[in-house]
Amino acid sequence: MSRTPRTLVGGAPTATYVLRFDGRELTAQAGQSIAAVLWGAGILAWRTTREGGAPRGAFCGIGSCYDCLVTVNGRPNQRACLVPARPGDRVTTQEGTGHAELGV
Amino acid sequence: MPSSASDAAAPDLAVVGAGPAGLAAAVTAAGLGLRVVLLDAGERPGGQYYRHPAPGLGADRPEALHHGWAAFASREAGLRAHVEAGRITYLPGHHVWTVVPGGGGVWTLHAVAGPEEEAATLHARAVLLATGSYERQLPFPGWTLPGVVGAGGAQAMLKGGLVLPGERVVVAGSGPLLLAVAGSLAAAGARVPAVVEAAGYSGYAGHVPALLRNPGKLAEAATYGSALLHRHVRLLTRHAVTEAHGTGRVEAVTVARLDRDWRPVPGTARRIPCDAVAVGHGLVPQLELATGLGCATRSSADGTAALVLDAEQRTSVPGIWSAGETGGIGGAQLALLEGEIAAHAIAAHAAAGRAGGPAPAALVRRRARLRAFAEAMGAAHRPGDGWTGWLRDDTDVCRCEEVPAGRIREAVADLGARDARTVKLLTRCGMGWCQGRMCGPAVAALAGESAAASPGGAPDRRPLSCPVPLRHLAELPPADG
């Protein structure tokens, strides 16, 4: 069996649960951030920039760079690398400022 | 103004940051009889270095991802004991955004707490800033592509979330962190085709005494080195990733040889296929709270600004102490020591007759040795001026505001900007969400600023160290000095 982060540290998550990313079901392990759940599913981009519409995801991994901003349960501009994933979360790709519905 | 009842009850010490320095300081200070409040932005103690999976992830061997885990485990146990005994109030999820003098020699700390960003205000008679650092980034074409991540970022996501950014990860940049990152990525199952280090290790040659006085550090380097050899990871020194290729995500990088000034040598470029790049050029002390208080800074050997600290870890502002990376990047072992030294000094200062006195001489000697090593390391990996040679005019330098190098060069060449601040006013770079944390060092270099030209080290100034809801600012009482 090939090595994985899990085989390195051993054990098993106390719970797994489902969250939705743009309608797609992803499996989260208890204790993971939203960014970790997305990386775990092979997803590296979950927002587009305001000016160029370029795809972005987690970069600094510690809350400093704000590149991983995402909309969680309708609330935009959450740092995916800091926000713990919760059962049933609805995560959606954030376009631009995340406030498109305000027309600003 | 007389001090209020809350001031009289104020704890002796507020420690900001529960990484190696803050954790060691809080536990030591509580052991010396001080009442301590420990605030930390993270959910669990340990900071970035000892970042580890949440209990829910059920990792049996978190130490497998760490070097020196025992040093953390003992402090963490100490923290739990002191919290139980009521000597430490531990407040995780609290991001302190400003520290201001209150009345009667008491400091006021304002924080945002938890996911709902509640306002929290605390008081203390002394403050220890142990706010650590973040990664220094130097841009290159393609560095905004998904799959290009911070080297420290990849490490943090692995340690905290047990995930990898890809299967084949090139590790690039400069500094000893790269070896540690490559080692843990490979141990966790990633293939690492190369570690691309811009400096030459010959940079250490001028610092032989500092190296010889730190056999532990040499052994650590040897451990990483042999682990990489064992996993067939190539170490390319005096090389840099000068471009990342791909459309939706990284598919390959171009790696080129560098001359002594870090200028890419023409004709040496080659392509390495990969699906992620973990990149970073050392660390930058995180100084917002300290510079907001007026603490003096100096320029470190690695080119970053760090706090001026005396032998007792005091900043230039009476009542404000600091330990760890804020005083110059030096690693976790040094941070642990400095936290303990600061705790002894603060305890001695807090009240005569209580436990606490001069820090044990052995700690002070080890600090001197590790600081000398840190200086040697910082000098060896300090970016050469030629790195800007790999930027194209259309390369975004500011990731938040999407400002390309060409616009910054225009601000400098045509509009007369001579420093990062003027470039910022002319181009908006550094005005986005991250407030210049990612682009600051690069913009300063493009503006022709060097640490030598600004003896104070010219740290970036940010009046708020994190986003603060406007309602909290509106509710602040007027400053009473």
Side-chain angles (χ1 to χ4, degrees), chain B residues 205-229:
Chain B
H207 303 276
V208 171
L211 297 181
L212 293 181
R213 275 184 282 123
N214 288 277
K217 284 286 185 188
L218 292 181
E220 191 181 333
T223 307
Y224 289 134
S226 68
L228 295 181
L229 275 179

Side-chain angles (χ1 to χ4, degrees), chain B residues 14 22 76 130 164 167 176 199 206 210 254 333 347 358 360 374 389 429:
Chain B
E76 207 245 349
L164 298 167
E167 291 172 4
T254 293
Q333 279 173 284
C429 64

Side-chain angles (χ1 to χ4, degrees), chain B residues 187-212:
Chain B
R191 276 188 298 157
V192 180
V195 175
V196 186
E197 162 64 59
Y201 278 96
S202 59
Y204 286 95
H207 303 276
V208 171
L211 297 181
L212 293 181

Side-chain angles (χ1 to χ4, degrees), chain B residues 1 8 22 24 30 57 106 111 128 157-158 168-169 184 210 218 236-237 259 278 300 307 324-325 359 396 400 417 463:
Chain B
M1 185 180 156
L57 267 159
V106 169
L128 175 81
M157 293 281 287
L158 174 57
R168 198 176 158 92
V169 190
S184 40
L218 292 181
L236 300 170
T237 57
D259 68 14
S300 299
L307 295 180
E325 308 290 50
D396 275 340
C400 302

Side-chain angles (χ1 to χ4, degrees), chain A residues 3-14 29-30 32 36 39 44 49-52 56 58-60 62 64 66-67, chain B residues 48 56-58 60-61 64-65 115 144 148-150 153 157 161-163 186-189 231 249 399 401-402 433-434 438 467:
Chain A
R3 280 171 294 125
T4 65
R6 172 57 71 186
T7 57
L8 183 63
V9 300
T14 55
Q29 300 178 14
Q32 283 185 318
W39 273 27
L44 291 176
T49 59
R50 291 192 318 251
E51 297 292 322
R56 296 281 175 85
F59 182 67
C60 80
I62 64 168
S64 285
Y66 295 82
D67 246 338
Chain B
Q48 300 310 333
L57 267 159
D60 286 341
R61 298 184 299 273
L65 283 164
T144 53
V148 180
V149 302
M157 293 281 287
L162 303 181
V163 288
R231 306 224 187 262
R249 64 172 294 169
R399 298 173 70 93
E401 294 293 319
E402 297 169 84
W433 275 96
C434 90
M438 295 303 115

